Amino acid sequence: MTTEPLVALDPSWPKMTLAQVTAALTAPGAKFEMGMADIHGVPTRVWKNAPPTLAWLAQAARAHGDKLFTIHEDERVTYEAAYRATAALAAHLAALGVAKGDRVAIAMRNLPEWPVAFFAAASLGAIVVPLNAWWTGAELEYGLADSGAKILIVDGERHHRLAAHYAALPALEHILVARASAPLEGVAARLEDAIGTPHDWATLAEVAFPAIDIAPDDDATIFYTSGTTGNPKGALGTHRNLTTNILSSGYSAARQLLRRGEVPPAAPIPKTMLTVIPLFHVTACSATMMMAIASGSTLIFLRKWDTVRAMEIIEREKVNLTGGVPTIAWQLLEHPDREKYDLSSLEAIAYGGAPSAPELVKRIYTEFGALPGNGWGMTETMATVTAHSGEDYLARPTSAGPPVAVADLRIMDEAGERERATGEVGELWARGPMIVRGYWNKPEATAETFIDGWVRTGDLARVDEDGFLYVVDRAKDMIIRGGENIYSTEVENVLYAHPAVTDCALIGVPHRTLGEEPVAVVHLCPGCSATEAELQGWVRERLAAFKVPVAIRFVDETLPRNANGKILKKDLKGLFEDRAAAA
């Protein structure tokens, strides 16, 4: 089953079938040739030419020399400058006692210091722990305690947010603070004392890059993912997981060119990217930054999303690529001042992490003249498993695209015992070299989710006869607001902690630009009272702002449940028909 194309396509398209493209791109000696590797006891197809480790990639990137790596306000950092800063910080971390397997956490906005910290720690064989910069102090404390981080590299804003929590983190031996706005005390020191500011990096004295024995399947990262129950789980990723994205992205781009009848370039072409998705997400860190470094592209960071500011940057810097979540594309399209800016340099607007309307796909193409892009992945897959762009996306606007050549998909029954037939809906399983090793220090959750190289995603999906994936529903109770995961149990637990609340449920309702937003249904105890604003304030004091319900409906009776005592959340959506209609 397919959807009619959104726009008229060349009648002779596609020039090649997916099978023909795969055969051509992965032939022996080709750039995207595949091989086999034993990954933790599981024979797995891998990209033969993927960089082996993050340390290798950090050193190879130096070859880009004076090309700009990052732009942040007036800070323009070249690849050579970033290399010098990375080597200097790695030496400093080693002097602080960081060794292979130690956890080094990063909690900061998208800043030039972020990739430097990431590659410095990873090049020592340490496990990098990117923490959600939107989290509250208590949430950040959880991530630091759960990971057992030895070192924290943090910006001044997050340092201030964590001030009252450091006493509860005895394993944290050193704190390096970037852009501190106040004097530092205790184990905290200025990051600038070690490597200077981004303006200084080009003149840093060269130091030897660490020579650590690291293998492709060694642990490299812990990205926290919001599950549907309990506390966030740390997805334990490897060097291979991240570097796989480089070849997966290149393969997807080459596949689309061949489908169109064009010859892929011999080498990746550097692009200028407006990167608005936080680097603590795998979408930005793994899918975007890895490919950017491999191709010598430029990443532009915004302190905070602002549509006018983004359009100014697109015009001034001749940005080629942007996106991240559908929200970004909608706001660019619908801003009343859009025609005042020259946005003609945009070649593609790609996104993932949130549902998107077919209307958006069409408007990106017809109004910007840019190619829309989408795909499917999750924290447990270190981003890219499927990719969708260009004519394929216009022809199948509700699909997430076909898998890359090293990935496999399965649609399984609820018990996980029988594979569904083509076109049938079931639970999506995925396999490939991008699948993380498991959950940090959670063997039971790992055993439930990761089976013989496959990850059980919890998403309901189908695959059509041509191999295109359609995700029809997400993991139970998960809400994704503008690309940010919100798991219901956490917010519900906070609501339950209010003295007037005896029953509650958090659900997602559609939102035109954010994909969906959280709303709550609440039953108060007899004789108790609470207002919507009071409960929203209660949640806001305890959780990140994006988790606060945008609307709360009060009901006189306890919430409907099934025979097992689970709340029938689908029966509650009717209470928010006004918001759904507005979306």
Side-chain angles (χ1 to χ4, degrees), residues 218-223 235-239 241-242 382 436-438:
D218 283 349
D219 299 333
T221 57
I222 299 174
F223 281 92
L236 182 59
T238 67
H239 290 259
N241 291 158
L242 285 109
M382 200 62 75
V436 303
R437 193 153 71 84

Side-chain angles (χ1 to χ4, degrees), residues 115-174:
V116 166
F118 180 88
F119 282 100
S123 296
L124 291 170
I127 301 173
V128 188
V129 187
L131 296 175
N132 190 322
W134 292 10
W135 277 355
T136 63
E139 291 167 315
L140 290 169
E141 178 190 324
Y142 169 80
L144 290 165
D146 183 73
S147 65
K150 181 177 182 176
I151 304 283
L152 170 64
I153 303 174
V154 61
D155 61 22
E157 186 177 348
R158 252 93 354 221
H159 178 60
H160 176 74
R161 193 179 298 171
L162 274 163
H165 300 271
Y166 286 135
L169 297 165
L172 197 57
E173 297 179 6
H174 297 280

Side-chain angles (χ1 to χ4, degrees), residues 503-519:
D503 209 4
C504 68
L506 193 81
I507 60 176
V509 296
H511 188 279
R512 186 162 181 258
T513 60
L514 295 172
E516 59 182 357
E517 53 187 0
V519 296

